[in-house]
Amino acid sequence: MDLRIFTEPQQGASYDTLLTVAKATEDLGFDAFFRSDHYLSMGSADGLPGPTDAWITLAGLARETERIRLGTLMTAGTFRLPGVLAIQVAQVDQMSGGRVELGLGAGWFEEEHKAYGIPFPKEKFARLEEQLAIVTGLWSTETGKTFNHDGQYYQLRDSPALPKPAQRKLPVLIGGHGATRTPRLAAQYADEFNIPFASLEDTERQFGRVRAAAEEAGRSPDDLVYSNALVVCVGRDDAEVARRAAAIGREAGELKANGLAGSPAEVVDKLGRYAAAGSSRVYLQVLDLDDLDHLELISSRIQPQLG
């Protein structure tokens, strides 16, 4: 099972902090560094020193890391025009030498749109479907030919469909809990399906829906990677688990029920249960970005047991 580090910088993190975590991610043998795409903190966090932009962050990290994959869970479709997003992601992929992955979602946090003057359309899912068609269509258009799209929300005429990503096929992630439309979009466009903060039962159920949608679309269900995103809180003993839980404003018992928390042995056991439900990759939501010892503990005590 792949373990990836997943950060929430809107809660309060500078670029320098994110760079430190990304370099630790690389040095400690994790597979990837991902970040959320938000401009406003949530809950009681003050968000200081202020938001960082996801794709500007990843562009910087692309030049300052060498091995790890880089991406978003999830880029908000409401933040960027799809043609511009295709350019941004392709450029960052070139800057990284082909290490970028695009998680793309509809966008949901209305308050951050109000705070920064970003339109928050009522119908977001239909827009997302067009965005996926445009971004993947621009990348797959043969060099020297043009791309056109005449949709309800977006129209592109005679686009040169440039630049191209460094990767022949840049991985696209789609995720969520939706029972019908989300699996259908994943079957059509995704290389990976991710379900965030889900129980084992909900994970197995949603993976089944995506696999069924893939078969219905004439695609092998095994073509997709199936992954989870789960909050992580590991300690060498109960006291350390409790300390780390308190540092992120959570209770150890709640984290054990709803995430990956406890001793290394407890977390390995739970990861095994997610693997049995069909997951081959887990994004570890790390909320205390100053606690690099936490990452070292996961690297030394959990990763070696995953094969």
Side-chain angles (χ1 to χ4, degrees):
M1 177 176 282
D2 294 334
L3 294 185
R4 295 182 161 191
I5 299 303
F6 169 43
T7 62
E8 301 271 8
Q10 76 278 355
Q11 300 301 90
S14 67
Y15 173 75
D16 286 341
T17 297
L18 296 173
L19 174 60
T20 298
V21 175
K23 286 188 171 180
T25 297
E26 186 157 86
D27 292 343
L28 293 170
F30 293 101
D31 182 60
F33 175 94
F34 271 58
R35 59 157 292 165
S36 59
D37 188 19
H38 287 294
Y39 292 133
L40 197 67
S41 62
M42 303 170 195
S44 60
D46 59 24
L48 294 175
T52 52
D53 181 84
W55 286 101
I56 291 176
T57 297
L58 294 176
L61 297 180
R63 307 302 289 180
E64 300 196 75
T65 58
E66 297 179 357
R67 176 188 60 80
I68 51 173
R69 308 288 295 177
L70 301 166
T72 51
L73 283 181
M74 300 282 186
T75 288
T78 48
F79 288 175
R80 298 167 179 87
L81 297 170
V84 175
L85 180 62
I87 292 170
Q88 291 172 319
V89 177
Q91 182 178 2
V92 178
D93 194 50
Q94 292 176 0
M95 293 168 69
S96 73
R99 294 184 285 123
V100 162
E101 304 183 10
L102 171 63
L104 185 58
W108 62 270
F109 190 21
E110 186 173 5
E111 286 79 3
E112 68 187 338
H113 294 74
K114 293 178 179 177
Y116 287 97
I118 303 168
F120 190 69
K122 182 177 180 181
E123 180 45 74
K124 293 180 288 297
F125 202 90
R127 289 175 183 268
L128 173 62
E129 187 163 5
E130 282 195 37
Q131 290 163 345
L132 286 162
I134 291 166
V135 170
T136 59
L138 287 167
W139 290 340
S140 62
T141 297
E142 184 179 339
T143 301
K145 295 187 178 180
T146 59
F147 175 82
N148 294 278
H149 178 86
D150 187 17
Q152 181 178 354
Y153 302 103
Y154 305 101
Q155 297 80 39
L156 285 75
R157 292 181 177 83
D158 298 325
S159 172
L162 296 171
K164 304 298 188 192
Q167 299 172 86
R168 184 186 63 81
K169 178 68 174 72
L170 191 150
V172 172
L173 289 73
I174 295 173
H177 294 258
T180 304
R181 293 191 297 178
T182 296
R184 177 178 60 80
L185 277 192
Q188 185 172 359
Y189 292 107
D191 300 282
E192 178 176 338
F193 179 78
N194 177 269
I195 185 165
F197 314 116
S199 67
L200 287 159
E201 295 76 17
D202 288 346
T203 294
E204 192 167 16
R205 184 181 305 113
Q206 187 70 336
F207 286 174
R209 290 171 179 149
V210 174
R211 296 181 72 89
E215 286 186 345
E216 187 174 341
R219 182 179 180 187
S220 170
D222 293 334
D223 284 348
L224 285 85
V225 173
Y226 298 87
S227 65
N228 289 85
L230 295 162
V231 64
V232 66
C233 181
V234 187
R236 296 170 181 85
D237 53 35
D238 289 344
E240 191 168 72
V241 174
R243 176 179 63 79
R244 287 202 163 106
I248 60 174
R250 306 278 284 271
E251 296 289 337
E254 176 265 323
L255 289 171
K256 287 186 178 185
N258 298 313
L260 297 170
S263 68
E266 287 177 294
V267 172
V268 168
D269 177 72
K270 195 161 188 181
L271 285 168
R273 284 181 274 158
Y274 274 98
S279 184
S280 63
R281 178 174 292 160
V282 173
Y283 294 80
L284 304 175
Q285 186 196 42
V286 176
L287 295 176
D288 184 355
L289 299 183
D290 295 318
D291 187 1
L292 298 184
D293 181 62
H294 192 197
L295 300 187
E296 194 284 328
L297 177 63
I298 297 167
S299 172
S300 64
R301 298 284 297 277
I302 293 176
Q303 284 206 109
Q305 300 187 60
L306 301 180

